[in-house]
Amino acid sequence: MTSQWIQMSFVSKQNGKRLIFFTKVCPSKVEGAHVRHVPARKQLKNFLPIGAIACLLSVTTTAIQGCYQQAKETPSHEAQPGDTLVVKGGAEIRLTHTFKPGEPNGLFDGGIRVTTDQSVTSTAEVNAVCSMPDLPNWPQYDNIYGRWLTDGETPGVEGGKTDWQLLLYFNGQTEEKGREPAPAWAQRLAQNLCRKGDFLDD
């Protein structure tokens, strides 16, 4: 009589998760047979070479990350409150208050909500002044700046000092001008607001 492996699965009453076991039926000198339950992951280690296990873990990790795949970024001129403007470095920036267009090339007093690690949120008022390369009397950079809002504060109402400011020169250089460093997502948000980079409006 040879031993056999039988796959069995159970659903945990505590968290509803399905557990998979391989059940080994072994011959016994006593009447009948005895049953040994071994977790599936332990048997996978025996059945698969190390490289295959590493590959499987990699694919699983990628699949899990896919569950948290970044939301679709919406061009600012098409966005409505609640739409995602930018996803960058674990932060998702959503529009809360529509930007006021300025003359000739500014977007002012827009409200955004920043969510990091899918849990921590903060709000900010953002302004952007967009330029064009090699135009007379136009600066050779795009300018984005903002300030953090207190709970319940509405963008464009109270005003206040700028907390951070970032100049994006057309030669690729950047310059910090605010009281604190600009957020990591500021450059991409400026590209969205100014319709440049990935947000180039043809």
Side-chain angles (χ1 to χ4, degrees), residues 104-121:
N105 57 342
L107 293 173
F108 301 103
D109 297 337
I112 61 171
R113 175 176 289 108
V114 182
T115 303
T116 56
D117 300 326
Q118 301 180 353
S119 58
V120 180
T121 62

Side-chain angles (χ1 to χ4, degrees), residues 17-88:
K17 293 183 177 179
R18 182 173 294 277
L19 305 177
I20 298 176
F21 293 85
F22 284 100
T23 301
K24 188 173 185 180
V25 180
C26 304
S28 175
K29 294 181 179 179
V30 298
E31 183 178 356
H34 67 273
V35 177
R36 184 160 64 98
H37 298 286
V38 183
R41 62 184 180 183
K42 183 175 181 180
Q43 292 310 315
L44 284 176
K45 183 177 180 181
N46 294 332
F47 292 149
L48 298 178
I50 298 299
I53 294 176
C55 181
L56 179 61
L57 291 175
S58 176
V59 171
T60 303
T61 301
T62 302
I64 293 174
Q65 291 174 343
C67 296
Y68 303 103
Q69 193 68 25
Q70 67 182 33
K72 180 181 178 181
E73 296 175 320
T74 304
S76 61
H77 62 282
E78 299 175 358
Q80 300 294 325
D83 288 344
T84 297
L85 296 176
V86 165
V87 178
K88 177 70 175 180

Side-chain angles (χ1 to χ4, degrees), residues 144-161:
I144 184 170
Y145 54 99
R147 68 183 185 90
W148 302 109
L149 301 178
T150 58
D151 291 341
E153 186 178 0
T154 302
V157 175
E158 298 295 334
K161 295 181 179 180

Side-chain angles (χ1 to χ4, degrees), residues 128-148:
V129 181
C130 307
S131 187
M132 294 292 290
D134 303 323
L135 288 181
N137 302 319
W138 283 49
Q140 295 302 297
Y141 55 79
D142 290 329
N143 180 5
I144 184 170
Y145 54 99
R147 68 183 185 90
W148 302 109

